[in-house]
Amino acid sequence: MAESPVMWRFVGNQLKRWRTKAKVSREQLAEAAHYSPDTIKAMEQGVRMPTARVLDVADELCGADGMLSAAKEYLSREKYPARAQEFMEREKEAISLWWYEVMYVPGLLQTKEYAHALIDNHVPVVDEEIVEERVAARLERQSILVRRKPPVSLSFVISEAVLLAPQVDLGQLRHLLKASELPNVSLQVLPCDQAVAAALLGPVILLETRDHERFAYAEGQLGSLLSAAPDLVSRATERLSMIRAQALSPAESARFLGEMVDRHE
């Protein structure tokens, strides 16, 4: 399981030190900042990112003279969950990306409303401030879809089951259809009755950077894996190639999505 970002742990440690020095109890800080004591504890331990509100309230309660509030600038740079941060850095360098998704609309193709619905229902629960920051970060990533220097070749395969989820509304379906029209984007739908066994094993991403390094990435319930190991990259390539071959063609997929849009209108 990925370790919490070092900045979370450092700021959490400083928060606890200032609170202890000022003889402010965890319960007092929690009440003043409108959080539970357990949430404050998690922030002090670096398990959860200390929020701007907690830092500002603690700064005033503990007489930190801006020392705690100043940490907000550095924490705002942690835009992604700890387990995904390395992948996000590689994604910025990508010139080619193959993405198969069996559970959710790929992050690069999500609408703001869909992204918010997913992140806001995260388990364990995250604070609204963090929800908004992560939604904004996810939308910011989508600039890769139209980036021209260097251009990026993007191939997505989405299981039909993803499109049948209640979070996928008319706006999300239209967004997918519009994205499929981009010249550097290939979007395919894998019908449930055409799914091969490999397609049931979970999502997988294959990524190539500007330096022609190739990475395989997968997320699961308990963690994620980003690897450049040749055997894993080869396995991911083979699996993705098989899934793409079983999916509807881009043209057939566009018609499939168009029909779903018509049914929702």
Side-chain angles (χ1 to χ4, degrees), residues 130-179:
I130 297 177
V131 171
E132 296 302 328
E133 287 172 4
R134 290 187 178 174
V135 169
R138 187 164 298 181
L139 298 179
E140 183 181 304
R141 288 168 53 205
Q142 296 179 4
S143 63
I144 195 174
L145 294 170
V146 294
R147 195 183 74 199
R148 292 291 177 264
K149 292 184 179 181
V152 189
S153 176
L154 299 152
S155 173
F156 300 96
V157 180
I158 304 173
S159 168
E160 179 186 1
V162 171
L163 304 175
L164 300 176
Q167 296 90 349
V168 178
D169 58 11
L170 180 59
Q172 180 62 75
L173 290 171
R174 285 175 170 165
H175 189 71
L176 288 171
L177 197 54
K178 185 175 180 180

Side-chain angles (χ1 to χ4, degrees), residues 15-24 26 44 62:
L15 175 62
K16 182 178 180 180
R17 286 174 179 270
W18 275 101
R19 181 180 59 74
T20 303
K21 180 181 178 182
K23 294 182 171 55
V24 174
R26 188 174 286 147
E44 291 182 345
C62 302

Side-chain angles (χ1 to χ4, degrees), residues 44-195:
E44 291 182 345
Q45 293 176 336
V47 176
R48 299 180 69 167
M49 186 181 81
T51 65
R53 184 165 80 241
V54 164
L55 291 172
D56 285 340
V57 170
D59 195 280
E60 183 175 348
L61 281 178
C62 302
D65 295 324
M67 299 290 287
L68 287 172
S69 291
K72 293 184 294 184
E73 176 187 352
Y74 301 94
L75 285 173
S76 66
R77 298 175 188 176
E78 303 288 1
K79 297 179 179 180
Y80 311 107
R83 68 177 186 173
Q85 286 178 11
E86 187 177 0
F87 170 75
M88 298 307 174
E89 290 303 313
R90 299 297 182 184
E91 186 182 76
K92 293 176 185 176
E93 306 168 7
I95 59 170
S96 173
L97 188 149
W98 291 7
W99 190 325
Y100 168 64
E101 187 56 74
V102 68
M103 296 179 288
Y104 307 112
V105 173
L108 296 180
L109 301 178
Q110 293 177 8
T111 61
K112 180 179 181 179
E113 293 74 19
Y114 181 93
H116 193 281
L118 292 187
I119 297 171
D120 195 36
N121 284 282
H122 188 274
V123 178
V125 174
V126 295
D127 303 308
E128 185 60 29
E129 292 173 72
I130 297 177
V131 171
E132 296 302 328
E133 287 172 4
R134 290 187 178 174
V135 169
R138 187 164 298 181
L139 298 179
E140 183 181 304
R141 288 168 53 205
Q142 296 179 4
S143 63
I144 195 174
L145 294 170
V146 294
R147 195 183 74 199
R148 292 291 177 264
K149 292 184 179 181
V152 189
S153 176
L154 299 152
S155 173
F156 300 96
V157 180
I158 304 173
S159 168
E160 179 186 1
V162 171
L163 304 175
L164 300 176
Q167 296 90 349
V168 178
D169 58 11
L170 180 59
Q172 180 62 75
L173 290 171
R174 285 175 170 165
H175 189 71
L176 288 171
L177 197 54
K178 185 175 180 180
S180 72
E181 298 171 356
L182 294 171
N184 58 318
V185 173
S186 169
L187 177 59
Q188 296 175 259
V189 175
L190 178 66
C192 292
D193 59 3
Q194 293 181 206

